[in-house]
Amino acid sequence: DAGVTQSPTHLIKTRGQQVTLRCSPISGHKSVSWYQQVLGQGPQFIFQYYEKEERGRGNFPDRFSARQFPNYSSELNVNALLLGDSALYLCASSFTDRTNQPQHFGDGTRLSIL
Amino acid sequence: EDQVTQSPEALRLQEGESSSLNCSYTVSGLRGLFWYRQDPGKGPEFLFTLYSAGEEKEKERLKATLTKKESFLHITAPKPEDSATYLCAVQAGGSYIPTFGRGTSLIVHP
């Protein structure tokens, strides 16, 4: 069975541009979460979605937005990119949002801002 | 505010030299503690979940234990392929969102 898939794997943008990252969860998983991981740090929570509804939001500016589609895939959008947005963006899926079962991660999108 | 602290930040071992990684947490109402392994350029790979003090889980050379204040990841007779960053995450209180530590970077020399 396919795990969590993310696209693209790498992306290079310049300051001020906008970017869209995509995620497909494990089959049967209805919740998707997004994380930002800066080099040398643990993943920082950005958003969680379940059944197309936002169920959680981390401490990130409004430049960050996301949505979930009827097939449970998800997109993360970042506007007005800053140098500090350079990071590995991870998507994780789980059966539901309210579960103490582990989340399963994709391999991420490496975003570089020039 | 919940906190998850991992130590050491980095650990270098010789092949076969057993050691332990620590994850200490200050939370109210632990729901679960998760260990992940992350290879360079990859996403975290799930290893273990622990739910209550006294619980232990084992997989090959890895053994995870949990107390009321901390968790240990014991690595017995490590091999070079065990080299990776090991992340600890805690889920607690009214939130189901896990909070991650900064990780321990493990290098095992042949």
Side-chain angles (χ1 to χ4, degrees), chain B:
Chain B
E1 184 177 337
D2 296 345
Q3 277 203 326
V4 182
T5 304
Q6 292 190 244
S7 62
E9 289 186 9
L11 182 62
R12 292 178 179 268
L13 299 174
Q14 288 297 126
E15 184 171 3
E17 180 187 1
S18 300
S19 188
S20 297
L21 281 55
N22 178 263
C23 172
S24 64
Y25 56 91
T26 54
V27 301
S28 50
L30 179 72
R31 290 186 181 275
L33 184 143
F34 310 99
W35 282 100
Y36 289 86
R37 168 193 170 125
Q38 187 173 25
D39 293 301
K42 299 289 187 179
E45 175 189 351
F46 169 70
L47 293 173
F48 304 109
T49 306
L50 301 166
Y51 294 108
S52 57
E55 192 174 357
E56 298 182 353
K57 294 275 181 71
E58 251 181 289
K59 178 182 179 180
E60 296 181 354
R61 295 178 292 283
L62 299 176
K63 179 179 179 180
T65 62
L66 182 65
T67 72
K68 289 185 179 180
K69 299 280 189 182
E70 59 192 347
S71 176
F72 291 94
L73 185 64
H74 307 278
I75 303 177
T76 302
K79 298 182 178 182
E81 53 261 42
D82 294 322
S83 298
T85 294
Y86 290 86
L87 294 165
C88 167
V90 168
Q91 191 186 54
S95 173
Y96 287 88
I97 307 299
T99 299
F100 282 82
R102 293 189 173 193
T104 293
S105 173
L106 173 67
I107 297 176
V108 181
H109 297 283

Side-chain angles (χ1 to χ4, degrees), chain A residues 19-65:
Chain A
V19 69
T20 298
L21 311 180
R22 296 176 175 83
C23 170
S24 292
I26 292 172
S27 178
H29 284 192
K30 298 182 178 181
S31 180
V32 168
S33 298
W34 288 95
Y35 293 82
Q36 180 194 67
Q37 187 177 26
V38 175
L39 196 63
Q41 305 282 324
Q44 295 293 312
F45 171 71
I46 309 175
F47 286 109
Q48 184 180 58
Y49 277 77
Y50 174 68
E51 293 283 11
K52 297 183 292 180
E53 289 188 3
E54 182 183 304
R55 293 303 183 102
R57 173 185 285 253
N59 189 25
F60 280 81
D62 291 344
R63 299 185 295 108
F64 289 75
S65 63

